[in-house]
Amino acid sequence: MTVQELPGRKLSGAGLLRSGMRIDLLPGIVAIVAAAILAPIGFLVYGALTTTAIGQPFAGLTLRNFAIVMSEPAYLTALLNTLYVGFASTILATLIGALLAWIIVRTDTPGRASLRVGVMIPFFLSPFIGALAWTLLLQRDLGPLNLLFGAIGLPQVDPYSVKMIVFVMAIYYAPYVFIFVSSALLNIDPALEEAGHMSGLNRRQVLLRVTMPLIAPAILSGMLLTFVATAGQFGVPALLGTKPRFFVLTTYMYQLLNRFPSQYNLAATLGLVMLAIACFGVWLQSRLTRGRSYVTVGGKGFRPRILQLGSLRWLAFSYVGAFILLGSVLPMAMLLWVSLVPYYDATFSLSRLSLEHYRELMSGRLILPSLRNTIFLAVAASTIAVLLAVALNWMLLRTKSVWRKPLEFVLIIPAAIPHVVLGVGMLWTYIYAPVPIYGTIWILLIGYVTGFITQAVRNVQSSFLQIDRSLEEAVTMVGGSRLRVIREVTAPLLRPGLVGAWILLFIIYVRELSTSIFLYSPGNEVMSVLMFNMWGEGNWGGISALAMVQMVLVGAVVYLASAVFKVDLGKA
Amino acid sequence: MTYLSVQGLRKEFGAFKAIDDVSLSLGRGRVCALVGPSGCGKTTTLRSIAGLETPDTGRIELDGRILFDGQAGIVVPPEERNLGMVFQSYALWPHKTIGENVALGLRIKGMGRADIRERVGSVLTLVGMGGMEERYPASLSGGQQQRVALARALALRPKCILFDEPLSNLDVLLRERMRFEIRDLLVKLDITAVYVTHDQTEAMVIADHMIVLNAGRIEQEGAPADIYARPRNRFTAEFLGRTNLLALDHATSDLATGSLRSRSGVALQTSDRDPRRSGDLLIAFRPESVRVDEAPGPNSFATRVISAQFLGSQTQLTLDLDGEQIIALLPGKQLRAPEESLRISVAPQDVLVLEE
């Protein structure tokens, strides 16, 4: 316990002086965070219960929006589509990701260390860029994969289809499942499996009766988070589903807002439906992993038992290789090629290479500001989120404040809320807010921090939990004040974890599209928004060049993280 | 003259009474051990003295200065209490060298560089870690880390050092050696200390005064040897080592003359004569006070061997005494075959009457 929360104390002279200087910022920080999270939800509820447009005076509560949403088949279809896409891509991602994890952690497949890195690449690429690349790979009559299918007598594959939405999401969310399952596999005490063998179970029985039940919570937990993420995905269904008029809730909300006149109230109603689905998923996930999720973080890290696959190891290798090919190599190669030729015509001659698109980007009116906006927002939002996360964790883990429970509860929302929904709620909030934030870059900054604050808190928490309390108490016992405790022990020990959390957030922010697409205003575009808008114009060369710039930015930061700061992002 | 005084300390965590009216008083240069099973409140008491935990009520005074007074609302923060503490987990700062670990408190105090270097060197030498200033904690063994933790506590020359199960993470041999080293150091430097442990042998080596805690309350206190010889009740007797306990039959026993009879019908003579005791009582004798004795006499019994184990320096026999299982510890190797009959005796002065 720190000195802070001792009730009713009388202090000696020196102590009184110090306590007077000690202004407690924690309650203020908590209040601001809670307001930033709860206000958009409040306005969403308000919007769903009224029919007055944004900015109009209040004209009574009504359930009409809900009646419309329930009665019109288009909305129901969007809801069912969302659930279908969410379930299908979650199950596929789980099958892919869990098998990848098992092969890489528990078998003697050659080159596992490099394969592990390759498997994580789609995570850094983002589903949106993946969807862009796959549209190019499967362009009708021109996409290299369709050319290949044609050459071997197979029918062409249409990128604009439900199947491809599910496929792309499954590939780009499989690394999430991979992270969960591989860390669970690494944290199983091998003695548990050995005990299974000693009780007369064969290898298959040990896998089914011992290993599977042990990692089941991790798999389930990864599945639920993947479901929440895929059901709330905007970029992929927007890119691949708009043409065949296959709408999910996120894209439908986007449509409602871009119609004339905008249907804010209906969008808010759909947003609440999505929020309810997502909150249920996250609540279920936290129930299932209660008291378990953090144990694995600081786990001992057992040396896992490696299964000798024999000649099957090459099959396993091919499987992982195919995943890396489909998830990273082909998409990246395609984007690189398209960015380097004046226009893509399915001819692959080095003589066509040119830097035209890059020159165009550099001279373009939008690209440099968007690059600057992206980097500014990513740096500022990561920094603010990490600092807030430190303060909130201090409160959660180092004080006995009665506000800890409500804070934990409020923090569930950012983890659950689809960022599209947050975007809509924030629009409403900051139009009414008495501060001139609407239509500026600051609304994006607030949106970024709010949307990922829970992720930041969790990442920082795992580092916090690794600091033994007695290390801090030992400073107190040799006469150090609370500030001294932080300076001498907490901060230095937290630093590597904070760098890791910062970098992870930076990568997420550089790729962010779902919130930005609702909150940007002309002049405040970030790179993802610019790409999305260029896609509307069909400027594939420009998009690809921009995607390459984004990938280089992320790649540079990932390299910096692992080479300079020795951060293992796979564990963050 | 009381140097450290703790009075009527209470602390509840929700409905759980962690400590319930704990008091102790300790003279200067004395060592008090708080012992008891886990959850008995010994660590909470220690942390309350340290200031790392705030009791609900009570009063703590050290060398005439009030550190805590629940009624007057006085809580001196831990960093101003001038106490040293040795943690169970050593709590050495992993990112600081051994020298920096020991020096931090002196730096906070504002001591000069040269003085710090000299003090760190001398205190490390004192604990047998001289010349290790530049090493990092991770490169030290558990025993060495514990010595550094001790040095860090000693460096500030605190009024009192608090030990929180400091040896429980060490292996048995090292633990037994460190006991004596710590004891010698405390005596040599005339240090006042409160020492928390769940190991009663450790407490007996290190402490002048022992307090047995159970469920937040003081069960018994006194000199360790006295408590061992005269435990008041079943809890203390069993906590301090294995004891043969037979339920006393009030109707057929005479507490005034010391002729006792157990409910199973075993008749025993004791020199522990106190007729005032009432309630459920037990007849107790330690396994090591059982003698193998062929000549019939007072407290001599025919028993049947149930099992025998050779433990190295002793042999442990499980015996059947008129239907009650008792344990006997005999010196050296004295194995017996099961079912063998064996005559044993217990001296009347080794037989005690305890409360349930």
Side-chain angles (χ1 to χ4, degrees):
Chain A
M1 193 203 297
T2 52
V3 181
Q4 187 61 51
E5 63 276 6
L6 300 179
R9 45 209 308 273
K10 274 183 201 160
L11 292 165
S12 53
L16 203 63
L17 189 71
R18 284 187 327 154
S19 84
M21 295 183 337
R22 205 187 289 134
I23 298 165
D24 202 346
L25 293 172
L26 281 180
I29 291 171
V30 172
I32 289 172
V33 170
I37 293 170
L38 293 175
I41 308 289
F43 276 101
L44 218 52
V45 174
Y46 171 77
L49 290 174
T50 58
T51 50
T52 44
I54 290 185
Q56 298 294 307
F58 178 68
L61 296 177
T62 169
L63 287 174
R64 245 191 67 199
N65 298 316
F66 288 93
I68 295 175
V69 166
M70 304 265 258
S71 60
E72 224 176 291
Y75 297 106
L76 189 64
T77 310
L79 175 62
L80 292 178
N81 286 348
T82 305
L83 294 176
Y84 172 76
V85 166
F87 277 120
S89 45
T90 299
I91 286 167
L92 196 56
T94 306
L95 292 175
I96 296 172
L99 189 56
L100 286 172
W102 185 75
I103 289 174
I104 285 174
V105 176
R106 301 297 300 272
T107 71
D108 63 343
T109 302
R112 283 175 298 141
S114 327
L115 291 182
R116 171 182 274 279
V117 175
V119 163
M120 288 305 297
I121 293 176
F123 173 76
F124 297 117
L125 281 187
S126 97
F128 177 62
I129 298 236
L132 281 171
W134 273 91
T135 352
L136 289 168
L137 285 166
L138 292 176
Q139 259 185 87
R140 172 149 288 273
D141 300 331
L142 286 175
L145 284 184
N146 269 337
L147 292 177
L148 183 71
F149 293 149
I152 56 173
L154 288 173
Q156 293 204 7
V157 175
D158 183 5
Y160 301 107
S161 62
V162 186
K163 277 199 197 95
M164 281 310 293
I165 295 179
V166 171
F167 172 78
V168 168
M169 291 224 267
I171 283 190
Y172 288 90
Y173 284 96
Y176 288 77
V177 179
F178 172 83
I179 291 171
F180 270 84
V181 177
S182 62
S183 76
L185 283 172
L186 281 169
N187 279 295
I188 293 178
D189 184 348
L192 295 174
E193 291 175 324
E194 282 158 6
H197 286 298
M198 298 316 288
S199 316
L201 304 181
N202 64 29
R203 278 207 318 220
R204 200 174 54 89
Q205 287 166 322
V206 165
L207 184 65
L208 290 178
R209 305 234 183 122
V210 180
T211 315
M212 287 294 274
L214 283 172
I215 60 169
I219 293 186
L220 212 56
S221 179
M223 280 179 83
L224 283 164
L225 291 187
T226 305
F227 175 77
V228 168
T230 50
Q233 239 288 325
F234 172 73
V236 178
L239 235 56
L240 303 181
T242 310
K243 207 172 146 207
R245 302 207 60 72
F246 176 87
F247 290 108
V248 291
L249 289 173
T250 52
T251 48
Y252 209 102
M253 281 172 73
Y254 183 71
Q255 288 283 320
L256 287 171
L257 293 189
N258 283 302
R259 248 177 226 178
F260 188 81
S262 297
Q263 303 284 333
Y264 279 104
N265 305 84
L266 287 175
T269 314
L270 289 188
L272 281 186
V273 174
M274 291 199 69
L275 185 58
I277 298 174
C279 277
F280 179 72
V282 167
W283 173 80
L284 206 60
Q285 192 263 343
S286 70
R287 291 280 312 186
L288 288 171
T289 54
R290 178 169 297 174
R292 216 183 323 222
S293 54
Y294 296 131
V295 179
T296 57
V297 172
K300 283 183 188 165
F302 296 101
R303 178 186 296 270
R305 277 154 38 95
I306 299 296
L307 186 69
Q308 311 289 325
L309 284 181
S311 54
L312 279 177
R313 65 207 200 108
W314 292 106
L315 186 68
F317 180 83
S318 315
Y319 169 74
V320 182
F323 177 80
I324 295 173
L325 196 68
L326 296 180
S328 323
V329 178
L330 285 180
M332 281 159 76
M334 190 65 199
L335 289 171
L336 182 63
W337 180 259
V338 174
S339 76
L340 285 175
V341 292
Y343 62 96
Y344 175 74
D345 59 359
T347 59
F348 297 91
S349 153
L350 289 180
S351 62
R352 300 191 61 225
L353 291 184
S354 90
L355 288 173
E356 188 184 314
H357 295 301
Y358 291 94
R359 267 196 298 271
E360 201 177 293
L361 287 184
M362 290 308 144
S363 61
R365 198 167 39 78
L366 289 173
I367 170 68
L368 287 179
S370 89
L371 190 61
R372 204 187 55 216
N373 289 340
T374 303
I375 291 176
F376 165 75
L377 282 170
V379 169
S382 321
T383 309
I384 295 171
V386 165
L387 290 177
L388 282 176
V390 171
L392 296 177
N393 272 309
W394 183 278
M395 171 148 173
L396 289 173
L397 301 172
R398 295 288 188 266
T399 74
K400 297 185 172 174
S401 160
V402 291
W403 293 102
R404 285 176 304 161
K405 269 262 166 281
L407 176 62
E408 276 179 355
F409 190 74
V410 169
L411 282 175
I412 290 180
I413 297 170
I417 195 166
H419 292 119
V420 169
V421 178
L422 178 68
V424 174
M426 282 190 61
L427 268 185
W428 225 301
T429 309
Y430 290 98
I431 282 176
Y432 282 102
V435 276
I437 283 175
Y438 184 75
T440 68
I441 198 166
W442 305 109
I443 194 172
L444 285 162
L445 182 63
I446 296 171
Y448 281 17
V449 173
T450 312
F452 292 91
I453 188 68
T454 306
Q455 173 142 18
V457 167
R458 285 189 187 149
N459 287 341
V460 171
Q461 194 159 58
S462 65
S463 326
F464 243 109
L465 288 169
Q466 283 169 9
I467 301 177
D468 185 353
R469 279 292 289 277
S470 58
L471 292 176
E472 295 173 337
E473 288 171 352
V475 179
T476 311
M477 292 314 293
V478 297
S481 63
R482 177 162 125 177
L483 217 61
R484 197 86 194 206
V485 171
I486 295 174
R487 212 175 79 200
E488 298 284 353
V489 169
T490 320
L493 292 181
L494 217 48
R495 199 170 298 140
L498 295 188
V499 172
W502 191 93
I503 284 168
L504 205 64
L505 286 168
F506 179 89
I507 292 165
I508 288 171
Y509 289 141
V510 165
R511 315 167 335 178
E512 217 290 328
L513 171 68
S514 306
T515 322
S516 320
I517 198 75
F518 288 93
L519 295 182
Y520 88 95
S521 44
N524 296 325
E525 286 95 347
V526 290
M527 289 166 78
S528 305
V529 168
L530 203 58
M531 274 190 263
F532 188 80
N533 291 343
M534 285 160 85
W535 168 74
E537 301 155 10
N539 179 1
W540 282 109
I543 293 176
S544 302
L546 206 48
M548 290 315 295
V549 173
Q550 183 173 317
M551 274 189 255
V552 168
L553 192 59
V554 169
V557 171
V558 172
Y559 173 78
L560 212 65
S562 54
V564 181
F565 294 104
K566 309 272 178 255
V567 176
D568 185 355
L569 288 172
K571 287 193 184 138
Chain B
M1 175 63 197
T2 300
Y3 186 67
L4 170 68
S5 140
V6 173
Q7 288 159 34
L9 227 51
R10 285 173 206 274
K11 172 81 180 172
E12 289 177 13
F13 294 109
F16 173 68
K17 286 182 179 170
I19 41 178
D20 187 9
D21 195 15
V22 168
S23 303
L24 70 92
S25 64
L26 200 59
R28 184 168 197 149
R30 306 271 291 168
V31 180
C32 168
L34 299 173
V35 300
S38 57
C40 71
K42 55 190 192 297
T43 296
T44 308
T45 306
L46 191 79
R47 289 173 61 84
S48 297
I49 298 173
L52 296 172
E53 212 81 68
T54 312
D56 300 330
T57 57
R59 191 179 152 93
I60 302 169
E61 216 174 299
L62 176 65
D63 195 15
R65 177 178 173 220
I66 298 171
L67 299 183
F68 172 78
D69 189 328
Q71 222 159 19
I74 297 172
V75 185
V76 175
E79 64 267 29
E80 291 168 18
R81 292 190 180 196
N82 205 356
L83 295 165
M85 185 150 175
V86 180
F87 291 84
Q88 181 174 15
S89 59
Y90 322 132
L92 296 183
W93 302 303
H95 56 299
K96 293 180 188 290
T97 62
I98 300 311
E100 289 165 354
N101 262 278
V102 178
L104 181 62
L106 303 171
R107 258 174 47 216
I108 291 172
K109 247 184 164 179
M111 194 187 258
R113 234 169 229 281
D115 290 345
I116 290 180
R117 192 167 323 121
E118 195 197 312
R119 177 81 70 90
V120 169
S122 70
V123 81
L124 281 175
T125 306
L126 197 62
V127 298
M129 293 292 291
M132 304 281 245
E133 280 91 339
E134 299 307 317
R135 303 269 295 268
Y136 278 89
S139 69
L140 302 184
S141 70
Q144 290 176 314
Q145 292 189 33
Q146 197 50 272
R147 286 162 199 266
V148 175
L150 184 58
R152 183 172 66 184
L154 289 170
L156 283 165
R157 301 194 178 143
K159 287 182 186 291
C160 173
I161 295 186
L162 308 172
F163 292 87
D164 186 9
E165 307 204 30
L167 303 182
S168 61
N169 285 340
L170 301 178
D171 64 60
V172 182
L173 281 176
L174 194 56
R175 196 181 332 166
E176 286 176 358
R177 214 177 70 210
M178 289 287 288
R179 273 173 207 163
F180 292 100
E181 286 188 19
I182 291 181
R183 171 71 201 171
D184 290 347
L185 211 57
L186 293 179
V187 170
K188 186 169 125 197
L189 301 176
D190 194 27
I191 287 168
T192 315
V194 181
Y195 193 105
V196 160
T197 175
H198 61 262
D199 181 341
Q200 79 285 358
T201 7
E202 198 170 299
M204 297 184 81
V205 171
I206 282 173
D208 312 298
H209 188 80
M210 183 156 89
I211 296 179
V212 183
L213 288 165
N214 179 27
R217 302 189 69 96
I218 294 180
E219 204 69 58
Q220 191 167 356
E221 65 178 303
D226 290 348
I227 299 183
Y228 187 81
R230 292 226 39 99
R232 218 186 62 216
N233 57 19
R234 175 195 282 269
F235 178 85
T236 312
E238 287 187 332
F239 183 77
L240 293 182
R242 291 190 77 160
T243 308
N244 293 304
L245 297 168
L246 309 176
L248 181 109
D249 184 44
H250 272 288
T252 54
S253 299
D254 185 349
L255 293 172
T257 63
S259 86
L260 312 174
R261 187 178 286 273
S262 76
R263 290 203 191 130
S264 53
V266 181
L268 279 147
Q269 271 296 325
T270 178
S271 39
D272 179 16
R273 288 167 199 150
D274 183 355
R276 284 165 306 171
R277 281 182 282 197
S278 59
D280 282 348
L281 298 178
L282 298 165
I283 305 168
F285 54 93
R286 297 254 176 224
E288 62 270 27
S289 59
V290 175
R291 304 264 172 279
V292 175
D293 193 353
E294 293 303 330
N299 292 350
S300 165
F301 309 100
T303 65
R304 186 172 52 83
V305 176
I306 297 171
S307 66
Q309 285 92 28
F310 177 52
L311 305 179
S313 62
Q314 291 169 310
T315 304
Q316 176 179 309
L317 301 179
T318 308
L319 304 169
D320 180 285
L321 171 60
D322 291 354
E324 298 241 29
Q325 272 199 11
I326 63 162
I327 306 281
L329 276 176
L330 310 177
K333 190 171 183 176
Q334 303 198 39
L335 284 173
R336 308 282 158 156
E339 299 302 323
E340 197 178 309
S341 31
L342 189 67
R343 183 156 277 280
I344 59 159
S345 68
V346 184
Q349 63 268 26
D350 290 333
V351 177
L352 302 173
V353 177
L354 310 182
E355 293 161 20
E356 178 57 65

